[in-house]
Amino acid sequence: MSRRRPGWRTEIRRCRRLGPRVAQGWDTLVKHALEGFNAMPAKGGAADLSDDELKRAVAYMGNAAGGKFTEPPVGGAEGAAAADPAVVGKKVYESVCMACHDSGAAGAPKFGDKAAWAPRLAKGVDGLLASAAKGLNAMPPKGGYGGSDAEFKAAVEYLANSAK
């Protein structure tokens, strides 16, 4: 459970194991997470989470406890099929990618650095996507992102567009 996921914050990690509660179902778990339940405050004390981020965290924790929940896609109602790089890509970038691409950690090309991105962009977006999906140098596969391929592609396009 150490993978970083959108909506997965320190406050929510404090939640006790969901095992027996998974049987109560998705709607009940989400209601309790949103409104609070027993000693748990609303949104697990993380008031800055959007409802979709919280639902993604509930699905992630519930699935780790044996549930079979489908996570809402990043970007909410527009869904993964409409993974607009300017919206979904930016959100994924800000939740995972910026940890390295803002500072250039471990040799990662910085966001918007045209010179650093030029050799990578020469492969085209599909080539860049293939490299990023496998991982490159210190970057793990998909940069450690655990979401959908459509969301990941939107993040790659967002990064690529920043350097064009």
Side-chain angles (χ1 to χ4, degrees), residues 141-160:
K142 289 176 72 174
Y145 181 65
S148 75
D149 290 343
E151 294 164 353
F152 180 69
K153 181 179 181 185
V156 170
E157 290 174 351
Y158 178 73
L159 271 163

Side-chain angles (χ1 to χ4, degrees), residues 10-23:
T10 302
E11 295 88 351
I12 292 177
R13 275 188 241 173
R14 294 184 187 128
C15 183
R16 67 181 181 269
R17 292 192 53 176
L18 289 176
R21 300 203 56 230
V22 169

Side-chain angles (χ1 to χ4, degrees), residues 97-138:
C97 311
M98 71 185 290
C100 296
H101 288 286
D102 267 7
S103 65
K110 289 184 180 182
F111 182 84
D113 183 340
K114 293 179 186 207
W117 281 100
R120 292 161 176 89
L121 292 174
K123 302 182 219 179
V125 174
D126 289 338
L128 183 60
L129 181 61
S131 294
K134 287 187 255 178
L136 185 64
N137 300 325

Side-chain angles (χ1 to χ4, degrees), residues 10-164:
T10 302
E11 295 88 351
I12 292 177
R13 275 188 241 173
R14 294 184 187 128
C15 183
R16 67 181 181 269
R17 292 192 53 176
L18 289 176
R21 300 203 56 230
V22 169
Q24 293 177 342
W26 173 255
D27 292 335
T28 300
L29 291 175
V30 169
K31 179 180 188 284
H32 290 168
L34 287 170
E35 298 172 5
F37 183 73
N38 292 336
M40 183 184 82
K43 293 190 174 185
D48 61 324
L49 290 178
S50 72
D51 289 357
D52 280 344
E53 288 173 321
L54 186 70
K55 289 175 185 176
R56 288 175 61 82
V58 168
Y60 180 75
M61 290 186 289
N63 291 343
K68 303 275 189 237
F69 304 124
T70 302
E71 295 181 9
V74 171
E78 66 267 11
D84 178 6
V87 178
V88 177
K90 180 178 181 183
K91 190 166 189 164
V92 172
Y93 172 81
E94 290 173 346
S95 70
V96 180
C97 311
M98 71 185 290
C100 296
H101 288 286
D102 267 7
S103 65
K110 289 184 180 182
F111 182 84
D113 183 340
K114 293 179 186 207
W117 281 100
R120 292 161 176 89
L121 292 174
K123 302 182 219 179
V125 174
D126 289 338
L128 183 60
L129 181 61
S131 294
K134 287 187 255 178
L136 185 64
N137 300 325
M139 186 179 102
K142 289 176 72 174
Y145 181 65
S148 75
D149 290 343
E151 294 164 353
F152 180 69
K153 181 179 181 185
V156 170
E157 290 174 351
Y158 178 73
L159 271 163
N161 291 341
S162 77
K164 287 183 179 178

